[in-house]
Amino acid sequence: MSTAPFRVALSGDFKKPDGSPTFPDFDLGPLLSAPGVETVFLGPANPVTAEQLADFDALILLMPRFAAESIHPNGRLGLVARFGVGYDNVDTEACSKAGIALAITPDGVRRPVAVSIITFMLALTGKLMIKDRLTREGPAGFARRVDHMGVGLVGRTLGSIGIGNIGAELFRLAKPYDMKFIAHDPFADAKVAAELGIELVDLDSLFRRSDVLAVNCPLTPETRHLVNEARLGLMKPTAYFINTARGSIVDQQALTRVLQARRIAGAGLDVLEQEPPAADDPILTLDNVILAPHALCWTDQCFAGNGAADIRAVLSVMKGEEPRGVVNRSVLSSPVWKSRLERNRQRFGH
């Protein structure tokens, strides 16, 4: 049995320029203390280069891209463990061709992102930002508070584009608000929808009927600009739109025009098409949108959960086991992958 270590790379952005951890709540202890594991932080590169990864068995990836040219021809790398659930920075097809599993961390983000959506919903319908500004104006602001009545949620309709991992959790958390639930998801589990009291509807009906509409689908070629001007035009003028998924699912220019014209009541956006946005992006000037820097779900628990899930995936592959959260599941039946797992079982005695 080989005594060579199982080498794990972490993308360079897990460390600050001064060498301190970017996210202290990401506990590397279980990885650093695992017998036979060697952990290395990569230098900055975007995309990650094949030369950097030549001698590694697994990569834990934060923000840099992992492209086809990131794959070294020696075939050693077997896992890319993405820190989070979005994987549009990873060339999934290239990973599959090379027999590399791409794993994400649905358990780590399920509750934090769903809570983020609830946060936006309550802040928008309660006119929180407006009331904050009024308070800071003193007596003049207090005198105008009657002009900014909030919106009650009982009997209102909460809609979601997608009822997967996060979408389903959103409806679980929203149950005490006594809202009506509707969703559109071509891949929906009808049993889950029924258990949660969600009515499955077509996409146009979702936009027409929702009082609060949230995006809970991944960014794919099919979902890019799924939310466009025509669909936004179907929404009620009293409705609110929330996106915590990926900016490019929405045609942001169209959304900006809709908000400028006040054709909907407002929006809560944790994601934008360009991040960070240009200083002169008109969406930054609007008073009917609440913005966050793709970080509303960033909590100690979220990052601890993501990190723990990635470490579990890495250690599973090291032991010759199938990791949880694999996106490109077809790779798990490939001869390259099966051979790699068998070698790992032999190398580490499992």
Side-chain angles (χ1 to χ4, degrees), residues 41-107:
F41 288 89
L42 301 178
N46 191 17
V48 180
T49 70
E51 289 72 25
Q52 288 179 300
L53 297 173
D55 299 319
F56 288 96
D57 299 284
L59 167 67
I60 298 179
L61 181 70
L62 190 55
M63 296 306 297
R65 289 187 300 115
F66 183 89
E69 58 266 31
S70 304
I71 300 173
H72 198 279
N74 67 8
R76 179 168 176 176
L77 189 73
L79 174 71
V80 174
R82 171 77 178 91
F83 195 86
V85 291
Y87 52 91
D88 44 302
N89 60 329
V90 179
D91 188 330
T92 309
E93 183 178 354
C95 285
S96 297
K97 287 180 179 178
I100 298 171
L102 167 62
I104 57 175
T105 59
D107 293 340

Side-chain angles (χ1 to χ4, degrees), residues 118-136:
I118 295 289
T119 300
F120 270 138
M121 180 174 73
L122 297 179
L124 288 164
T125 58
K127 307 292 182 71
L128 179 62
M129 302 297 284
I130 296 169
K131 290 173 181 177
D132 175 86
R133 289 195 293 270
L134 292 178
T135 306
R136 295 171 192 275

